[in-house]
Amino acid sequence: MSQENIQDSLLRFMTCGSVDDGKSTLIGRLLFDTKTILTDTLTQIEKTSKKRGMTAVDLSLITDGLQAEREQGITIDVAYRYFSTGSRKYIIADAPGHEQYTRNMVTAASTAHLAIILIDARKGVLTQTRRHSFLAKLVGIPHIVVAINKMDLIDYDESKYKAICESYKAFAKEIKLSENRTIEFVPMSALNGDMIVDRGESMNWYQGPTLLDILEKTTADYAGKDKNFRFPVQFVCRPHASDDHDLHDFRGFMGRVESGSISVGEEITVLPSQYKSKVKSIQLGDTQLQKAISEQSVTILLEDEIDISRGDMIIKSNDAKEPTKNINAMVCWLSETPMASSRTYLIRHTSRESKAKFDKIDFKVNIETLLHESISNLNMNDIAQVTFKLAQPIMADSYQNNRSTGAFIIIDESTYHTVGAGMIA
Amino acid sequence: MTTLSNLTHLDWLESEAIHILREVAGQCSNPVLLFSGGKDSLCLLRLAEKAFRPGRFPFPLLHIDTGHNYDEVIQFRDLRAKELNERLIVRSVEDSMKRGTVVLKTPDEPRNKHQSVTLLEAIAEFEFDCCIGGARRDEEKARAKERIMSFRDEFGQWDPKNQRPELWNLYNAKVHKGENIRAFPISNWTEMDVWQYIEREKLGLPSIYFAHKRPIVRRGGAIVPITPLTPKKDHEVVEEIMVRYRTVGDITCTAPVESIADSVEKIIIETASTTITERGATRLDDQTSDASMEQRKKEGYF
Ligand SMILES: Nc1nc2c(ncn2[C@@H]2O[C@H](COP(=O)(O)OP(=O)(O)O)[C@@H](O)[C@H]2O)c(=O)[nH]1
Ligand SMILES: [Mg+2]
């Protein structure tokens, strides 16, 4: 594959659904039918299936890896799986569906280009379906596939399938889900393998693409199509002490292009210092690049000797950006320990860190009803709009415009645990 | 100057790994890179070059030596460290045995699991706050849920139910004294990705990765190499066949696979058509229990 987008050769997607909707089976099926599961793994799960008294091989055992999961027969943490087709590599995040695992879904969603929302054909659109769709929207997943699973249990009935599609569409309209987002529907049986990789024989009435067809043609973009150049500096390379005298004045600014692109010769501004310079060269290993594009990790050298350190951000000079100490964000609380509004927390935004204090909680979103409620404190799995005051300025974009520079995590200052995830308004 | 074309999934994976390595360097005060001379850690070294050259690596290399190694792997390890002009620290399980912190049940037993003890001792000795390793999520089920920056407590233990959530590409490597982060820059790589990267980067490998003639016996479906550490049993018939290793580790528990692939190119073709997972084929110790890797990781194994 040849493209100007580094990310197009790789698609990251997640599965969401309630317990028992068939997420693990679907992933097992994808891996199995794309020949990713190898004989020894298969032998192992055949054995385990038999031990549990099942007649067919339980493909969900491929993803349900942890001891506790196998004992309880449920998924308890996000698992990552991989497969490749001729055209691209896929990374799957299997997120558990239980209510208490909103945080796992948000975690899986944070890196996904696409979400497969599973619906049990017998049950149709449930509260959980609404919750998963809302979260996919909140975290900015640009592509949604509604997979209506277990079609075998409703005799592959086309009219029932269509009715479920209609009710989902009505709900999608209600929450404006299709704004900046594609939504596709596919009927399937993960158990029998219909319409996942192979079409099967049972649903000839369905003319649309299989699930894999959809995955293959989806562009690997993130919501937030910001083309503005953002380069958070991760590390400064100053090998002046080395034996090589040519390197005496070498100052390389190392980082990953989070969005947009930069070419040699372009004028840049460093934030928050506002120093200006020009790009002298761009390096990736031994290679000199003319241009660096989004998601490439490179080293940038500048014409002038200016002081830059980790946490600074390089942008283009024709693009203005004001560092800010006040942010308003949607926060998902991830920790079992509730937020203490009197405490100070740490915020990590790009390669920058700052102390932060909660200013006020505007509202909490009830993820069952999607209505706003007022609360005074955040508990695990709560999603709320919060205002913060920061000790250090950050170079924030709105999450809607930029998934990298609009996101941050909240760290507990004493335990160092990651306790929250934020998306800047 | 290079123009942009043909950017592949390898470029994306490489970029992600470089980003992770630089985060370790930016966030941790005393990291170390675990280097065994094996293919995954050789990829890590190339990624570290891309991440930090022309500077020196902001961390030394550490090998936990089981004493059960093939000579060519150890030679290769030393050669590579020297070529890169980076500091290599070696700490050995045998020293832990002398100190009495590792006690073997039987003298010849596999020492893979005892590496945990020696590793923890090295972490304490040098006060490392982060160990960079070449583990991949596709290697084993328990690894599929591993974070890229994985928290270990003072006992080096991994608690799968108490992992730090990891979102976007925002990593949290903060620890208190005594605690430790294990960072896995190639988490998202598969065995195939590793081989393709080795081919693209023209990385050298220890010779045992390529098909060679070796005396072996067949024991319960597995190919067991005959070495001073793994002698044949009385009734067994020794054959000389063409084999290669898919992983390098403790001689007593790492088996080769039958193969005539004597170049990276041919290994890639073989890998594409293989029907057995890397661990299934080559780790004689993981098969005992479905959950044995998870068990070992809870005990502080890498
Ligand atoms: N009849 C039928 N059963 C299915 C289908 N997909 C999954 N199942 C079954 O539903 C149960 C739950 O599946 P699982 O994949 O573990 O669901 P998860 O909790 O969403 O991961 C298992 O018994 C599966 O065999 C399907 O398409 N048809
Ligand atoms: Mg499951």
Side-chain angles (χ1 to χ4, degrees), chain A residues 210-348:
Chain A
T210 61
L211 176 65
L212 186 65
D213 291 337
I214 296 172
L215 297 176
E216 289 277 270
K217 69 170 178 45
T218 300
T219 48
D221 49 1
Y222 289 123
K225 310 241 174 357
D226 195 348
K227 294 283 182 284
N228 292 330
F229 175 65
R230 297 284 182 265
F231 188 80
V233 176
Q234 287 183 275
F235 196 76
V236 180
C237 177
R238 294 223 56 191
H240 47 267
S242 89
D243 320 328
D244 187 345
H245 291 295
D246 291 346
L247 291 178
H248 189 79
D249 295 322
F250 187 98
R251 277 172 194 240
F253 303 108
M254 300 175 149
R256 197 178 88 134
V257 180
E258 292 298 341
S259 60
S261 65
I262 190 83
S263 297
V264 172
E266 284 192 278
E267 287 179 17
I268 59 92
T269 301
V270 181
L271 299 176
S273 67
Q274 304 284 357
Y275 290 138
K276 291 190 186 339
S277 184
K278 254 187 195 170
V279 175
K280 185 162 85 181
S281 78
I282 304 171
Q283 305 180 353
L284 200 184
D286 297 334
T287 316
Q288 300 282 332
L289 301 176
Q290 177 59 42
K291 181 182 181 190
I293 58 170
S294 175
E295 299 196 21
Q296 251 184 335
S297 288
V298 294
T299 300
I300 293 179
L301 280 73
L302 300 177
E303 297 278 1
D304 309 281
E305 268 193 31
I306 50 181
D307 196 25
I308 300 180
S309 43
R310 175 174 163 86
D312 290 350
M313 186 184 283
I314 301 178
I315 65 169
K316 288 187 186 177
S317 296
N318 60 13
D319 170 24
K321 175 131 212 67
E322 277 304 316
T324 176
K325 284 186 173 181
N326 294 297
I327 50 173
N328 183 255
M330 288 298 273
V331 167
C332 177
W333 197 254
L334 307 170
S335 170
E336 280 164 22
T337 312
M339 178 201 78
S341 45
S342 54
R343 282 184 60 188
T344 310
Y345 288 88
L346 285 172
I347 273 186
R348 183 186 299 286

Side-chain angles (χ1 to χ4, degrees), chain A residues 18-25 60 149-150 152-153 189-191:
Chain A
S18 313
V19 185
D20 282 350
D21 281 352
K23 295 176 298 295
S24 301
T25 310
S60 73
N149 188 35
K150 305 198 185 184
D152 55 302
L153 296 180
S189 166
L191 192 69

